[in-house]
Amino acid sequence: MTSSLLSSIEYFDMDRLKATETKVTRIGINGETPTASSTPAAPNRVLDASSNAMHGKRGCMSWEPPLTLRYVDVEARPGYASCKAHEYVDRPEVLRAKVKLLADLIRGSEQCVAYTGAGISTSAGIADYATQGDGVFPLLLSPMLAKPTPAHRILASLHAEGHLKHWIQQNHDGLPQKAGYPQHALNEIHGAWYDPSNPVVPMDGGLRPNRHVLAGMNADRVVRSVSERATSGEGLGSVIISLQQTPLDELSALRIFGKIDDVMEMLAEELSITQSSVPTWDGVVGGDCGNGNEGCEEDIFMIPYNSSGNKMSPGNENNCLDLREGQQVRITSGFYSGDVGVVVGKQLEGHYKIRFMHPIKNKGWLAPKVHVLGCWMLVEAMHGLLDTFPIVTIAGVGDKGPDDTGEAIMFKAEPIQNKNQIGDLLSDMLKSREAASSGGGNVGNEREADCKSD
């Protein structure tokens, strides 16, 4: 069959090929009947919009308009308040001036917050919703193996340097944490691939009942509210960075048209920030009890969280989280609260895979689903940096109950003085694992000693 196929390709008559035409049909929303549209006019070479929409309220009216990069005459986000999917880019001299202004705004900000969508991860190989036409993305074996982009790494550096206070993330991909951004300063409002208690939800525009966070495009009020408050003199306003137009461009303090990686690399240069100061998660494959504690087995962690996943008050002894393969755990909060799972191993990057059994609505039976627990959750939990922890070991293993009482188990993690020291903790954890695997440490094989309470 292979030789026949090759023969067909070798003698294929190229003259028989015909030109193809791509048509985009608008599908009616909520029962509406789609209407035929006339052939679009020739694309403009520049963006035709107001000065505020092109450059922001703090922009310079003398700046040249952005150039048309791609002309795609369809809606970027069908079903939402949206704009066409055309893409634009600022001229080099204008882009440089805008990035300088962005740097000044960040220096003057007291509570700088990042609000990012799918566009920040496209260069990592994770396709977005709004890119239309012939968008090309790197090929990945799995989206969960994606590596953080320059934008992710520089935002993590901005936090480490004290410029960025919080990050509101619409994506599920864990790339901020892989870039070294701490979990406790991140809000994953649409769910997370690496947190079993925060499953990915549809973009229905509703509120998450158990987390009091937004889902869907309703979350865009973050930008709208900041922009409107700045109009009355409260705060500096919003900065929007993207290739496509948005419905909020007119309200922004600064509007930048460009690729997010390019803009962030220029910003890092303006602020004298280097990516090398941010730790990465490449090669981290889990950990032991940490702090060089001898006698701990691999994949066992002592964390200051009780059986409900809540952080215990100072002075209480830590509980044991056993993530060895075959150990049972329970989800402590969120949509799947109370569901039980079994640790089944680790994925290629070393994060823990847990197979849970979830009830199917109105069916009366359970269905399996594998969730992943990110290693960064464990590092921060050992030092009490998270408000809650998503899972606990069940069957009485290391569980002291909701009153935070019980005998000491093994050791108590020392608090870190600076929350930006997470990179050092990761490095120590990795070194400990390497030493253990080469015979430099004691890694036990017995399951009964380390985690069981008396």
Side-chain angles (χ1 to χ4, degrees):
M1 180 179 294
T2 302
S3 60
S4 175
L5 177 60
L6 291 175
S7 177
S8 298
I9 295 175
E10 182 178 357
Y11 294 104
F12 188 80
D13 186 0
M14 297 295 293
D15 294 333
R16 295 172 60 189
L17 290 176
K18 297 181 180 180
T20 60
E21 180 181 0
T22 301
K23 296 182 178 180
V24 178
T25 303
R26 179 177 178 272
I27 300 175
I29 304 299
N30 297 328
E32 297 177 3
T33 302
T35 57
S37 58
S38 59
T39 303
N44 294 325
R45 297 186 61 184
V46 298
L47 174 59
D48 183 11
S50 68
S51 178
N52 283 353
M54 292 190 296
H55 309 306
K57 294 181 178 180
R58 292 176 178 265
C60 180
M61 295 187 65
S62 64
W63 284 340
E64 292 292 324
L67 299 170
T68 302
L69 184 63
R70 294 174 69 235
Y71 186 86
V72 187
D73 196 28
V74 295
E75 290 294 316
R77 297 168 181 84
Y80 296 93
S82 180
C83 299
K84 293 291 187 179
H86 310 315
E87 296 181 359
Y88 303 92
V89 62
D90 280 315
R91 302 159 196 261
E93 64 278 8
V94 175
L95 180 60
R96 175 61 66 183
K98 287 184 176 182
V99 171
K100 286 181 178 293
L101 178 54
L102 172 60
D104 290 340
L105 289 172
I106 290 176
R107 292 189 188 99
S109 174
E110 297 179 356
Q111 292 294 331
C112 182
V113 175
Y115 172 59
T116 61
I120 195 174
S121 297
T122 54
S123 65
I126 300 178
D128 66 345
Y129 179 70
T131 299
Q132 307 291 339
D134 57 349
V136 178
F137 308 100
L139 182 62
L140 295 174
L141 181 63
S142 165
M144 297 193 75
L145 298 179
K147 304 298 182 184
T149 66
H152 289 103
R153 295 179 186 274
I154 292 169
L155 284 173
S157 293
L158 285 172
H159 176 79
E161 295 290 332
H163 295 295
L164 182 62
K165 306 302 181 183
H166 202 81
W167 187 341
I168 301 173
Q169 157 88 327
Q170 295 188 72
N171 300 342
H172 331 296
D173 49 37
L175 293 184
Q177 300 96 313
K178 289 183 181 182
Y181 193 90
Q183 180 73 44
H184 66 265
L186 181 72
N187 192 347
E188 297 170 292
I189 61 175
H190 291 171
W193 291 345
Y194 295 89
D195 180 355
S197 69
N198 187 18
V200 176
V201 298
M203 296 198 303
D204 59 4
L207 293 172
R208 298 292 296 279
N210 51 21
R211 286 180 170 266
H212 306 288
V213 298
L214 300 170
M217 297 307 172
N218 200 6
D220 289 348
R221 72 172 72 170
V222 172
V223 180
R224 182 181 294 276
S225 298
V226 169
S227 300
E228 291 175 347
R229 286 199 297 268
T231 303
S232 60
E234 182 182 352
L236 300 177
S238 65
V239 177
I240 300 176
I241 305 171
S242 74
L243 293 170
Q244 296 176 343
Q245 293 175 282
T246 80
L248 301 179
D249 290 348
E250 287 272 3
L251 299 177
S252 65
L254 177 61
R255 183 60 171 96
I256 300 177
F257 287 91
K259 294 182 178 180
I260 183 63
D261 286 340
D262 296 341
V263 173
M264 296 308 296
E265 288 176 335
M266 294 172 65
L267 176 64
E269 181 182 338
E270 287 290 333
L271 294 174
S272 299
I273 290 176
T274 59
Q275 296 183 45
S276 59
S277 64
V278 178
T280 70
W281 290 90
D282 298 346
V284 176
V285 292
D288 55 19
C289 283
N291 292 346
N293 202 59
E294 295 185 2
C296 284
E297 292 194 27
E298 183 179 358
D299 306 323
I300 295 176
F301 304 86
M302 304 305 298
I303 60 176
Y305 296 83
N306 64 18
S307 60
S308 299
N310 296 318
K311 185 166 64 174
M312 297 187 293
S313 55
N316 289 284
E317 300 298 337
N318 294 339
N319 274 323
C320 178
L321 178 67
D322 187 348
L323 293 181
R324 290 173 292 186
E325 191 168 340
Q327 177 63 49
Q328 288 188 324
V329 297
R330 171 173 50 83
I331 297 177
T332 60
S333 62
F335 185 79
Y336 294 127
S337 179
D339 290 0
V340 174
V342 176
V343 180
V344 295
K346 301 175 185 177
Q347 45 102 275
L348 291 178
E349 291 185 327
H351 306 292
Y352 290 87
K353 298 191 299 182
I354 308 171
R355 181 184 290 113
F356 288 92
M357 299 299 294
H358 299 309
I360 303 300
K361 186 176 181 181
N362 300 325
K363 295 293 184 180
W365 45 272
L366 302 176
K369 179 177 176 60
V370 175
H371 295 265
V372 177
L373 180 71
C375 292
W376 49 79
M377 304 279 287
L378 299 164
V379 174
E380 295 198 37
M382 284 194 296
H383 296 274
L385 298 179
L386 304 176
D387 292 331
T388 61
F389 196 73
I391 62 173
V392 293
T393 301
I394 64 172
V397 180
D399 190 357
K400 300 178 187 135
D403 58 354
D404 296 349
T405 61
E407 291 189 16
I409 300 181
M410 302 194 61
F411 77 97
K412 184 175 183 179
E414 294 295 329
I416 60 176
Q417 302 300 319
N418 187 337
K419 291 184 178 181
N420 295 324
Q421 293 175 349
I422 296 175
D424 296 333
L425 300 175
L426 295 176
S427 177
D428 292 341
M429 174 182 286
L430 185 57
K431 289 178 182 178
S432 177
R433 285 291 301 277
E434 292 174 345
S437 62
S438 62
N442 297 321
V443 181
N445 293 318
E446 300 297 324
R447 295 186 58 82
E448 62 267 16
D450 290 286
C451 267
K452 289 186 178 178
S453 57
D454 293 334

